[in-house]
Amino acid sequence: MKPAPFRFTAPGARAELLQTLAEHGDAARVLAGGQSLVPLMNMRMVQPALLVSINLCRELDYIRVEDGALVIGALTRQSTAEQSPLVHRHCPLLAAALPWVGGMANRNRGTVCGSLAHADPLAELPAVALALEAQMVVSRAGATRHVSARDFFVDALTSCLQPGEMLEAVRFPAARPGDRVAFLEIANRSHAFAVAGAALRVTLDADGRCSALGIAVIGGGSTARRLAGAERALQGRALDRAAIDDAVATVGAEVDPIADIHADAGYRRHALGVLVGRALRNAAGASA
Ligand SMILES: Cc1cc2nc3c(=O)[nH]c(=O)nc-3n(C[C@H](O)[C@H](O)[C@H](O)COP(=O)(O)OP(=O)(O)OC[C@H]3O[C@@H](n4cnc5c(N)ncnc54)[C@H](O)[C@@H]3O)c2cc1C
């Protein structure tokens, strides 16, 4: 099935891109890697009048460290981030999650920001952004605002982006001393979307106690979801077996798993408890 008719434009610069989005508002859709948008258009689930490609805006293709954050521009491919030494050093949780995003062919075209803007409830990167409390850099012609990951993901395939706006970049707080991270997921086959997953960062203080936590899950609701109860159960404690068991015990009540052809809600709820426990033990290393 072919897409409904559409017009296409590919601005060569950021200012022209934002101006085009401002002029066309709701009728325009940003085209980044096309790995999600094009299949949706082919199934006519999305029918934009105008596709605005960002693929000629080279100034949006960057990874840099700025003011204590790792900043990734809108045109940066998932595979570029996956192979970036800056990502491995400053954002190990993102480096751990990227290999799970589809197959290499998808990651060679798909963008980091595209995955965030698409906001698929079973995508890996929204959970990473939530666990790390990333900031989304949202721009329109003449204005830029910063939105927390918590406020960015609104519902399945729905972000807080308004007509005329684009996700220009994402800022991940850089790794801190004492950080332990883990990413785990269950999928029905390799390169497929997750059935359930867990992304976490735990910062241990000098006494080995949890001083800061970010635990987010995939498949636990219509968006990636933070587990405040599990974080509270661990706050200020050593990351040992008893503390991890207490955290895992909170997961079932804190998620509202989706049911689909891949898994029912009961299976996902159980799997999320198992994955959070395993991820915390991985983060704790031999000590748990
Ligand atoms: C076979 C296959 C397997 C896949 N497996 C996985 C998987 O396991 N996990 C996973 O997370 N994803 C998976 N994907 C999806 C893939 O990661 C996509 O790359 C990603 O979802 C969207 O990124 P994109 O750059 O391709 O965006 P596009 O497909 O171009 O756009 C997706 C949506 O986001 C919007 N958008 C894109 N960029 C921006 C921006 N900068 N500002 C505002 N709006 C924007 C578009 O308008 C569109 O609505 C898979 C895709 C395929 C084809």
Side-chain angles (χ1 to χ4, degrees), residues 29-39 54 74 78 100-103 106 109-111 113-115 117-118 122-125 161 165-168 185 191-194:
R29 271 276 183 149
V30 168
L31 173 69
Q35 300 298 296
S36 293
L37 181 56
V38 172
I54 67 170
Q78 293 154 5
W100 293 90
V101 178
N106 310 118
R109 274 313 285 177
T111 61
C113 287
S115 174
H118 186 54
L122 296 174
E124 289 80 5
L125 303 188
L161 289 170
E165 287 188 324
M166 71 170 291
L167 180 58
E168 180 171 0
E185 77 173 44
H191 307 337
F193 274 87

Side-chain angles (χ1 to χ4, degrees), residues 17-32:
L17 169 63
L18 293 176
Q19 194 50 44
T20 305
L21 292 174
E23 281 164 16
H24 296 276
D26 239 343
R29 271 276 183 149
V30 168
L31 173 69

Side-chain angles (χ1 to χ4, degrees), residues 215 226-235 246-248 250-251 254:
I215 304 176
R226 273 287 284 265
L227 298 184
E231 294 171 8
R232 272 196 304 276
L234 293 166
Q235 188 67 44
D246 290 349
V248 169
T250 69
V251 174
E254 210 168 2

